[in-house]
Amino acid sequence: MEGPAEEGTGGSGPAAAPETQSATEAGGFIRVAKRSKRKRRAAELDGGGGGGSRMDTGQPWPSKRPDFPPVCGDALRSGKDEMRKIPVPANRYTPLKENWMKIFTPIVEHLHLQIRFNLKTRNVEIKTCKETKDVSALTKAADFVKAFILGFQVEDALALIRLDDLFLESFEVTDVKPLKGDHLSRAIGRIAGKGGKTKFTIENVTRTRIVLADSKIHILGSFQNIKMARTAICNLILGSPPSKVYGNIRAVASRAAERF
């Protein structure tokens, strides 16, 4: 019984010897074939009629990245008109009425949207129509109206329509530090400064626009500029003297200007 077994092993030994030598190095590590060789072998097996696993159906191989044609605005709208509603608080009724034509004109003529003020719900409603071509027009118009409702001038809020890299950020004084009573009033006073001097200085240095509405703070500007203005305001809330805050934001602004 031992003889045939040895013959069988002996017969397969010489054929398997080159494979073990090529696959195994000294020390028992397995040598892995290079990626290019593996790709070549896979191509030979699949495409060269070597009995590959993939059937030859005559269809082209799918590419790694999908290639989609550009989509027009009408296809993205999916046939339905979209609408945005912006609530208007009571203290902004009169400014909205006085500046209605300044708000109405760019939204209708430039963005090709429909806008109205609903007297029952007290909302400004903006709606797309057939003439609307830009997909982002509705968002721009909603941000523009929202900025005006928050207290920004129409001219400043209009930059949200003209430029793409402008944003709105809102936070409260109590988000930075839980203050109450006179301490909260003093923090708001430090942000504003005498006659609004501190607020104007931060706006001019950081190239932003700031609205102080009681304990709420709204900042309009680019991402980097909002970050600088927010840091300065937070330092004022935490108790830093204005002179120190001026020096810090001027240093940061000069560094940002040198970078660009």
Side-chain angles (χ1 to χ4, degrees):
M1 296 297 286
E2 292 178 0
E6 287 177 2
E7 286 176 7
T9 53
S12 62
E19 294 180 5
T20 54
Q21 287 176 2
S22 63
T24 309
E25 290 183 358
F29 294 102
I30 297 173
R31 183 182 295 169
V32 180
K34 289 184 179 179
R35 189 177 295 175
S36 58
K37 290 182 179 179
R38 280 185 282 170
K39 284 184 179 178
R40 204 178 301 125
R41 280 182 195 166
E44 288 173 2
L45 288 172
D46 293 337
S53 59
R54 185 182 177 88
M55 291 178 64
D56 188 9
T57 57
Q59 296 178 355
W61 284 70
S63 58
K64 291 183 179 179
R65 290 185 179 179
D67 186 16
F68 298 115
V71 182
C72 62
D74 295 335
L76 286 174
R77 282 175 52 205
S78 68
K80 295 181 180 179
D81 292 330
E82 296 182 21
M83 181 185 285
R84 296 282 179 88
K85 296 180 181 180
I86 299 99
V88 182
N91 64 316
R92 297 300 291 173
Y93 291 161
T94 305
L96 183 68
K97 188 177 180 181
E98 292 173 354
N99 296 279
W100 180 251
M101 287 309 298
K102 293 181 181 178
I103 297 169
F104 176 88
T105 305
I107 290 177
V108 174
E109 294 184 359
H110 298 289
L111 297 178
H112 305 289
L113 297 168
Q114 296 176 348
I115 182 173
R116 71 173 183 178
F117 179 61
N118 195 325
L119 293 171
K120 291 183 179 180
T121 59
R122 300 288 186 179
N123 289 335
V124 174
E125 298 177 354
I126 306 170
K127 186 180 177 183
T128 58
C129 58
K130 293 181 180 179
E131 287 77 18
T132 307
K133 296 179 181 178
D134 189 4
V135 180
S136 62
L138 188 64
T139 304
K140 286 183 178 180
D143 290 342
F144 167 53
V145 175
K146 185 181 177 183
F148 177 77
I149 297 301
L150 290 175
F152 292 97
Q153 297 291 326
V154 179
E155 292 76 15
D156 296 333
L158 199 60
L160 286 165
I161 292 179
R162 294 176 177 169
L163 302 174
D164 290 331
D165 58 344
L166 290 185
F167 305 96
L168 272 172
E169 181 163 339
S170 303
F171 63 96
E172 293 193 30
V173 175
T174 52
D175 295 339
V176 182
K177 191 176 182 182
L179 300 171
K180 294 179 182 178
D182 292 341
H183 299 290
L184 179 61
S185 302
R186 278 193 290 271
I188 296 169
R190 278 198 302 274
I191 298 167
K194 187 177 180 181
K197 178 185 172 185
T198 306
K199 184 174 81 77
F200 293 144
T201 305
I202 296 173
E203 285 181 343
N204 293 332
V205 173
T206 60
R207 296 178 183 178
T208 57
R209 288 291 175 266
I210 299 169
V211 168
L212 279 172
D214 195 16
S215 64
K216 292 182 180 179
I217 301 162
H218 311 290
I219 308 174
L220 170 66
S222 65
F223 179 80
Q224 196 68 28
N225 294 342
I226 286 176
K227 185 180 177 183
M228 285 192 289
R230 187 179 63 233
T231 303
I233 291 170
C234 290
N235 289 337
L236 287 170
I237 294 169
L238 293 172
S240 296
S243 57
K244 187 177 181 181
V245 173
Y246 292 160
N248 290 341
I249 59 173
R250 284 203 177 100
V252 173
S254 62
R255 260 186 268 132
E258 288 173 3
R259 195 178 301 141
F260 290 112

